[in-house]
Each structure stands twice: as C-alpha cells, then as structure tokens.
Amino acid sequence: MRRDHPMPCPDRHDALAELALGTLAGQERSDVLAHVARCHACALELSELSRITDDLLQLAPAASPPVGFELRVVERVLACSTSAPTGRPRRRKRHRLASWRPAAVAALLAAVVGTGAGLLAASTTAGKAPPAASRPVTLSASLARHGRVFGHVRVSSGRTPWLFVTVDDLTGPGSRTVICEVTLVDGTTAKLGRFRLSQGYGSWGVPLAAPADSLRRALLVGTDGSVLASARI
Amino acid sequence: MVRPRATSSDEAPDEALLAGMALGDERAGVAFVRRYQRRVYGLALGILRDPGMAEDVAQDAFVRAWTHASVFDPRRGAAATWLLTIARNLSIDALRVRRPEPIDPGDLAFADLASGERLPEDAVLADEMLARLHDALAGIPEAQRRAVALAAFYGRSAQEIAEIESVPLGTAKSRIRMGLTKLRDAVSVEEAP
Ligand SMILES: [Zn+2]
C-alpha cells in the first residue's frame, strides 16, 4: 500500500469522505469534526480527501460564457464599490466585508480559508472542515441564549489560531445567514464573517490574526443585527 | 506552478492578481476574470444546466471573489480552488432554491467527466495531478463515480444519493467513500517518493 501514515478509524471513514465532500450536516458532522480534532489519522485522511474533492472541481469542462461577461462583472463590482475609499460600499447588504475593517479591529481580521469553507460561500451543504480541525483545540465554549445551547465555538491556538463555530440547532426553517462577531479582551469588537445555516445547522471556520487568548466573547448575529446566541470564551 | 518574473497582469500569478484586486486594481480584476471565466461558467453550467442561471451564478462568484480578494489566503489553498468552490457552492444553492426537482441520474453532466467527451480546459489537463485524477475517474466503478459526482458537484448527501439511486443508505455511503478513496489512492500512489 502507498500509505505511510496510520489508517483512519474504520467506523469514521464513511463520514470523513462525506465531510470532505461537504455533504455532512448536523450531529453527524459535529461528531466527526470533534473526532478529527483529536485523531491524527482521521485528520490526515480528511485533508487528503478534501484535496481530491477540491481538485475534482477543476475537472469540470470549461465553457465560454456569453459575450460581455467580464464587463458585466466589472460593472457589478464597481457598482458596489464606488464609495470605496472609506471602505464603505453602497450596497451593504451584499458586500459588507470592507465595512468590517475598522482600524481598531484590523489586527484581528483574518484571512478566509482558501478552500472556500469560510466566509465566502460557506453553507452546510458545502462547508468543509477547516484544516485546523487537526490541531489541538485549546478553548471551547457553548453558544447559548437564554440558557439554551445552540452549538459550540472552538478556538484553537497554534501558529495560525482558528475559530470555528458549529451550530447544531438554531431553530428556523429554510436557510438563513448569520454573522459571527467577536469581542476582544480590550473591549473592541470585530465581525469575522458570515455563514449560512440550513434548517438551523451549519458550521464555519476562520483563521485569526490575533492570538486565541485575546478573544473574550463570540456572538452569532442575524442579518438584522439581532443577537442569536453568544459564547464566553 | 511557479510563474516567475510576471511582467503584466496577464502573466501575473493568481495571488498577485487577487492582491491587486484587493487594492482596487481594475486591470488585475479583469485579468483574473478572463483567466477563469470559462472554468467558472463551465462549472456552473454543468451543475445548473441552464445558461441564464449559470451566468448569474458565475458572475456572483467573481463578484464575491473580487470583493473578498483581501481576505484570500494563499497559504490555505490555490486561488483556482477557492474560486471554483465559491462557484460550486453558489450553484448548489441556486439549484436547491430554483430547481428543487430531483436529479435524474441519467442527466448528470458530471457523472461522465471521465468519458472524454467533454474535457476540462487544456491548462487543467496539463497539470499532471489533475490529469491523473481525470484518468482515475474512468477507472472506478460507475456507481461510485456517480456517487462522488452527486456529492462533489451537486452537494447531495448520502441520504439523497440513496434515494436518487434507489439503494440503501449504507450502500450510498460506502460508494461515496470507496469512490473518493480510490481517486485519492490513484492520484497519490505516484506521488510517493
Ligand atoms: Zn480516527
């Protein structure tokens, strides 16, 4: 066999493949994520399988878009960034990211995971486990509101600190977008990004540019600004 | 792939274009769109099977990539992967919202990826790893290939695949796992030193 590393746990192997493909949700997903966080063999397998699923997308046959495609993209980008110098786009609904970078929190704001698992298009159907899942998790806190637990926030230390959020049952039909905010020990807040919940479930991760121990609280906020749940880290 | 000494935006590495886009460099953005529009649109079209929807989704993908270029982190993966993953996720969302009909397994654009009838971009097949993956797809059993394609391109869960293919859930799960691990083995066997 080619394998020069330990075999993944047989009873987790199916779930690892599904997680790599981004099609695992809910409890199954939380379970295998938690397992991967402490099982090196499974973490390795997950990262290898995730790479294959990434590469599969590159095999999609190419096709020429209608004439004028690039022009229309440019027009749309310009339309939402004409007031750009202050980093405050006009069409906030769709492109709020720039406004999430006030100087006070610039140090915190992080890069989004390259596989797309993060900010950009995260959804329960498609989000993948962040690579950090294989690193030791140093902090974990329940996401709760009025005493009810809706999921967990985990912050891993290491060279690249990570925050990841698992939402297990934030009730509500259909899909909805939630925003993840954090409060730092110095009292400043930062919006780290947004992700999608499907039928109340979802998970999302983001690398942090600030040390893990500088976080005090994490909040899940609805797109209308209402606080849905919070975690004291 | 290293592209040293880039002299213009058409030759610049993806990461440099994204950095330019983050700074508001329109030329960098146009070069980036040009470089990937056929692949992004092709992916969306394959998933959605509708040129109008595919264009909308492909545009959304580029607009997102552009407006989020400042947070792209090359250490976490290639720009092409990042962009195509955005396009794939948006396509799946659009598919679920606008066309909730079950997929006819005979109608899967991507189940026959390995048939050779429709090929990826030349540049993709020039990448040795991707060329091997393309070949490996032809070598795995059709049922496993379809299971992997349904999950990878259409975001279908094991349960949904079981329903589409009229097989027990356990069968769907093992097809997914076996298909994917075989692809991985085929690709990495020759990578070992
Ligand atoms: Zn394990």
Side-chain angles (χ1 to χ4, degrees):
Chain A
M1 282 298 280
R2 52 160 283 281
R3 308 192 64 88
D4 49 0
H5 53 75
M7 295 294 286
C9 304
D11 60 331
R12 301 285 183 179
H13 213 169
D14 286 353
L16 290 174
E18 292 173 68
L19 185 63
L21 286 158
T23 57
L24 211 55
Q27 193 61 47
E28 267 189 301
R29 181 187 172 86
S30 318
D31 287 350
V32 70
L33 274 173
H35 174 78
V36 162
R38 49 172 203 271
C39 175
H40 181 63
C42 286
L44 216 53
E45 181 75 358
L46 176 61
S47 90
E48 287 192 357
L49 295 181
S50 296
R51 184 174 156 205
I52 296 298
T53 65
D54 285 347
D55 288 343
L56 279 172
L57 296 183
Q58 307 223 36
L59 294 185
S64 292
V67 175
F69 179 87
E70 66 191 43
L71 196 65
R72 290 190 286 280
V73 172
V74 172
E75 280 169 1
R76 284 186 52 190
V77 171
L78 292 180
C80 61
S81 64
T82 19
S83 51
T86 59
R88 201 166 289 269
R90 242 189 311 184
R91 279 162 52 188
R92 291 174 52 86
K93 183 167 178 281
R94 211 179 170 97
H95 306 295
R96 300 177 66 167
L97 194 78
S99 64
W100 293 351
R101 286 181 284 147
V105 297
L108 180 82
L109 190 64
V112 166
V113 57
T115 58
L119 181 53
L120 294 174
S123 72
T124 43
T125 57
K128 288 181 184 167
S134 60
R135 298 201 182 99
V137 170
T138 53
L139 299 163
S140 176
S142 297
L143 261 177
R145 179 156 174 79
H146 301 317
R148 242 195 93 192
V149 175
F150 294 104
H152 290 89
V153 174
R154 294 186 177 86
V155 181
S156 73
S157 58
R159 241 180 7 187
T160 309
W162 273 78
L163 175 145
F164 53 96
V165 187
T166 318
V167 179
D168 287 336
D169 187 18
L170 196 57
T171 44
S175 60
R176 69 191 294 189
T177 297
V178 293
I179 296 162
C180 178
E181 288 186 9
V182 291
T183 309
L184 305 189
V185 284
D186 67 5
T188 55
T189 62
K191 291 183 185 178
L192 291 183
R194 53 172 57 197
F195 60 103
R196 193 109 73 142
L197 301 181
S198 175
Q199 313 292 344
Y201 293 87
S203 61
W204 178 82
V206 67
L208 301 168
D213 58 9
S214 66
L215 302 187
R216 191 171 64 190
R217 261 161 56 100
L219 301 170
L220 279 192
V221 182
T223 45
D224 60 356
S226 59
V227 174
L228 305 170
S230 67
R232 195 188 307 263
I233 296 167
Chain B
M1 282 206 298
V2 181
R3 297 195 198 92
R5 284 187 295 153
T7 51
S8 78
S9 49
D10 287 342
E11 298 169 38
D14 293 339
E15 293 72 22
L17 293 184
L18 283 164
M21 288 153 73
L23 295 170
D25 180 347
E26 202 181 307
R27 277 174 315 173
V30 170
F32 187 76
V33 175
R34 241 175 235 163
R35 185 173 293 171
Y36 286 111
Q37 59 182 358
R38 284 176 42 79
R39 287 167 65 183
V40 169
Y41 177 73
L43 177 62
L45 184 63
I47 293 173
L48 293 163
R49 317 301 298 272
D50 177 308
M53 282 168 74
E55 185 180 0
D56 284 351
V57 164
Q59 283 198 15
D60 282 349
F62 278 113
V63 171
R64 286 202 191 197
W66 196 324
T67 53
H68 293 74
S70 61
V71 294
F72 169 73
D73 182 353
R75 292 167 304 177
R76 303 250 164 227
T81 303
W82 180 65
L83 177 64
L84 290 171
T85 304
I86 294 171
R88 174 243 195 215
N89 293 351
L90 290 173
S91 298
I92 291 169
D93 288 348
L95 195 66
R96 287 189 188 272
V97 170
R98 290 196 258 176
R99 273 211 324 211
E101 291 306 301
I103 295 175
D104 173 357
D107 193 36
L108 284 182
F110 291 126
D112 62 352
L113 268 184
S115 70
E117 276 176 39
R118 301 165 69 233
L119 288 174
E121 201 91 307
D122 286 348
V124 168
L125 289 181
D127 180 308
E128 198 193 339
M129 224 283 285
L130 294 175
R132 273 212 301 268
L133 182 59
H134 184 259
D135 293 346
L137 269 170
I140 64 174
E142 195 196 341
Q144 293 174 15
R145 184 162 63 234
R146 284 218 309 232
V148 169
L150 277 165
F153 293 104
Y154 300 90
R156 298 292 162 156
S157 67
Q159 182 63 52
E160 289 171 317
I161 291 170
E163 283 160 20
I164 292 166
E165 303 278 54
S166 306
V167 296
L169 177 60
T171 305
K173 280 179 175 285
S174 48
R175 282 179 182 176
I176 295 166
R177 189 239 317 145
M178 287 167 68
L180 194 59
T181 50
K182 278 179 193 164
L183 293 178
R184 186 272 316 275
D185 291 348
V187 164
S188 47
V189 72
E190 293 164 54
E191 275 185 338

